[in-house]
Amino acid sequence: MLTIKSRSHEYSVEEFQTLSCALRSTDRSRAHYLIDRSIIQYYNEVIASETELSRTVLIEASEENKAFERLTPIFLELLEKGLKRDGVLIVIGGGVLQDIGCFIASVLFRGLRWELVPTTLLAQADSCIGSKSSINVGPYKNQIGTFYPPYRVLLTPQVLQTLPFDEIRSGLGEVIKLQLLNNKDGFEELIDDLNRLSSDTRFSIISKWVQRSMEVKKPYIEQDEYDRGVRNLLNYGHTFGHAFESASHYGIPHGIAVILGMLTATFFSARLGLIPEEYYFDLKQKLAPWHKPFGAKLLKVDRSAIFSAIKHDKKNTGNSINCILTKGFGCMEKHSVDFDGELQPAVNIFIDQEINL
Ligand SMILES: NC(=O)c1ccc[n+]([C@@H]2O[C@H](COP(=O)([O-])OP(=O)(O)OC[C@H]3O[C@@H](n4cnc5c(N)ncnc54)[C@H](O)[C@@H]3O)[C@@H](O)[C@H]2O)c1
């Protein structure tokens, strides 16, 4: 069990063998549920026997559904199904459900107890800790949000067995990012393990890196929960990644967009002389298997939509673009760069010449 310190309360990350065991540990008499519709498809029996369908709201996990405009019917359904301020909201799903559930729990009745059962690799290894909710506004991703951690995170590596492989790769984007923020040994060990992933039938490799990812993330979020300082470094790859993701209308999954975004940031860092070119070439070669075939998809994405999204990144101030660049393993830095003179040409060259592997 891992304990995370937050400004509002400490919360625990507990591991369970099965989804049934996780759900049995909750207070069913006070629970209402927000559940990813596809979880019902795979775990119908467990959900039917361990939750209350009359107190459940089902949501399809899509970026469109985590838009601010789509939240009103969810609030209404929860209220109509009897959720009160002494209730508990149990959220079962990946990052999309987490963002919706966290946001609702943070504002409904000015703060409601909520617990999270993350069901994707991305949510288990990364987003389940850190308190953030991020909600889209129209085409602009993650522009609204709150900091409101769950009271418990119930981890069940078993549920990852049904996750499509592209979603595993998407989760690996954040896992890889955290080891690049950690150190060279961690990154090399991860890449070695990933090369053996196809034989990992019992998900022991994945479970190991879920734990290791949280260990790397924990000090950042405990020191700077509200993302005013050192936590910004966790956004390595995200200025570009979010732009690729939204400009592709989410055809490039979040974590894979982060991999492409980290490569862009690293290419840009090499052009600015922050790291030797060899560092970038080595990373490009090691990450290639984990973004294919989405790199080719990026070539077809409307370039003006990418640049518009970069300019709208919420980390920007004035006319300059704030992005996290790298000086090597465990050595990320925040830089403010000129859009026209520096950033736009680098992104164009990256997409035109570097990604067509
Ligand atoms: N709040 C945060 O701290 C934070 C951090 C990173 C990312 N995010 C957000 O998370 C979202 C991406 O989340 P995600 O990658 O977890 O994807 P997701 O929630 O969109 O789920 C991906 C797909 O997998 C399906 N799925 C989920 N669990 C499954 C399971 N166990 N078996 C089979 N299918 C399953 C879903 O229905 C969906 O089709 C993005 O919107 C991103 O902005 C939030």
Side-chain angles (χ1 to χ4, degrees):
M1 188 169 91
L2 191 70
T3 303
I4 308 289
K5 289 194 189 78
S6 151
R7 292 274 189 97
S8 57
H9 56 266
E10 269 191 13
Y11 56 103
S12 58
V13 182
E14 299 156 53
E15 190 166 327
F16 295 86
Q17 287 287 316
T18 64
L19 184 58
S20 288
C21 296
L23 292 174
R24 255 175 238 161
S25 77
T26 62
D27 181 354
R28 189 164 163 171
S29 65
R30 291 167 61 204
H32 275 67
Y33 303 88
L34 269 189
I35 307 181
D36 179 334
R37 206 175 272 285
S38 69
I39 292 297
I40 301 283
Q41 180 189 326
Y42 292 108
Y43 301 96
N44 190 16
E45 266 180 44
V46 178
I47 297 290
S49 64
E50 306 297 348
T51 68
E52 297 290 338
L53 283 176
S54 62
R55 287 191 250 129
T56 295
V57 176
L58 297 180
I59 300 174
E60 191 187 315
S62 67
E63 288 296 325
E64 291 74 19
N65 281 346
K66 66 168 231 185
F68 190 62
E69 313 82 89
R70 298 275 179 99
L71 298 184
T72 304
I74 305 174
F75 280 108
L76 280 175
E77 200 176 339
L78 285 169
L79 293 172
E80 278 158 12
K81 288 185 165 168
L83 179 59
K84 300 273 186 322
R85 67 173 62 222
D86 62 348
V88 183
L89 186 64
I90 311 284
V91 179
I92 308 173
V96 166
L97 265 283
Q98 177 191 328
D99 276 339
I100 296 171
C102 177
F103 184 76
I104 288 179
S106 66
V107 293
L108 191 60
F109 312 124
R110 297 195 184 81
L112 178 72
R113 183 182 170 99
W114 75 291
E115 299 180 7
L116 175 63
V117 183
T119 64
T120 60
L121 177 57
L122 180 137
Q124 291 197 3
D126 179 46
S127 64
C128 70
I129 59 170
S131 320
K132 278 187 185 176
S133 71
S134 299
I135 295 295
N136 304 333
V137 185
Y140 301 114
K141 190 174 158 67
N142 291 350
Q143 300 289 307
I144 295 179
T146 50
F147 291 97
Y148 192 68
Y151 283 73
R152 295 171 71 214
V153 177
L154 315 177
L155 273 193
T156 52
Q158 177 229 19
V159 296
L160 300 179
Q161 308 272 5
T162 52
L163 200 61
F165 191 62
D166 272 350
E167 295 300 336
I168 294 283
R169 289 198 309 166
S170 177
L172 289 176
E174 299 286 1
V175 171
I176 291 168
K177 178 201 77 180
L178 287 165
Q179 291 310 317
L180 285 168
L181 264 104
N182 187 18
N183 56 41
K184 187 173 194 296
D185 289 350
F187 174 71
E188 299 287 356
E189 187 181 339
L190 170 65
I191 293 296
D192 283 350
D193 277 1
L194 293 186
N195 291 334
R196 294 186 287 110
L197 197 60
S198 53
S199 58
D200 183 32
T201 47
R202 285 185 299 132
F203 272 68
S204 55
I205 293 178
I206 294 285
S207 291
K208 167 181 163 184
W209 290 100
V210 165
Q211 293 300 331
R212 297 273 290 268
S213 300
M214 280 196 273
E215 284 160 18
V216 176
K217 186 169 177 180
K218 179 177 151 80
Y220 286 93
I221 58 175
E222 289 189 334
Q223 268 177 57
D224 178 28
E225 184 176 15
Y226 297 153
D227 208 2
R228 304 274 182 234
V230 69
R231 185 174 176 175
N232 287 182
L233 302 182
L234 296 177
N235 281 320
Y236 174 50
H238 283 64
T239 299
F240 305 108
H242 278 159
F244 299 158
E245 191 186 3
S246 59
S248 70
H249 304 290
Y250 306 105
I252 303 178
H254 177 80
I256 293 175
V258 169
I259 295 179
L260 291 164
M262 289 190 294
L263 285 173
T264 314
T266 309
F267 175 71
F268 192 27
S269 304
R271 269 174 71 94
L272 294 176
L274 298 175
I275 40 157
E277 280 193 329
E278 293 69 38
Y279 179 94
Y280 164 68
F281 289 131
D282 184 55
L283 194 65
K284 175 177 156 179
Q285 184 244 325
K286 288 189 168 127
L287 298 192
W290 304 104
H291 63 68
K292 272 184 180 165
F294 292 95
K297 229 176 189 175
L298 181 58
L299 268 173
K300 298 188 188 131
V301 175
D302 176 12
R303 207 64 64 85
S304 61
I306 293 177
F307 291 125
S308 162
I310 289 175
K311 284 180 176 166
H312 275 97
D313 191 278
K314 62 183 176 295
K315 296 179 288 298
N316 296 334
T317 46
N319 291 323
S320 53
I321 307 290
N322 285 324
C323 54
I324 307 301
L325 300 179
T326 180
K327 284 187 162 174
F329 298 102
C331 196
M332 281 49 181
E333 282 181 352
K334 189 171 174 176
H335 285 254
S336 183
V337 296
D338 174 55
F339 180 80
D340 295 316
E342 292 177 313
L343 187 140
Q344 190 173 31
V347 173
N348 273 330
I349 296 172
F350 175 79
I351 297 176
D352 290 333
Q353 296 174 20
E354 294 294 317
I355 209 58
N356 199 7
L357 300 161

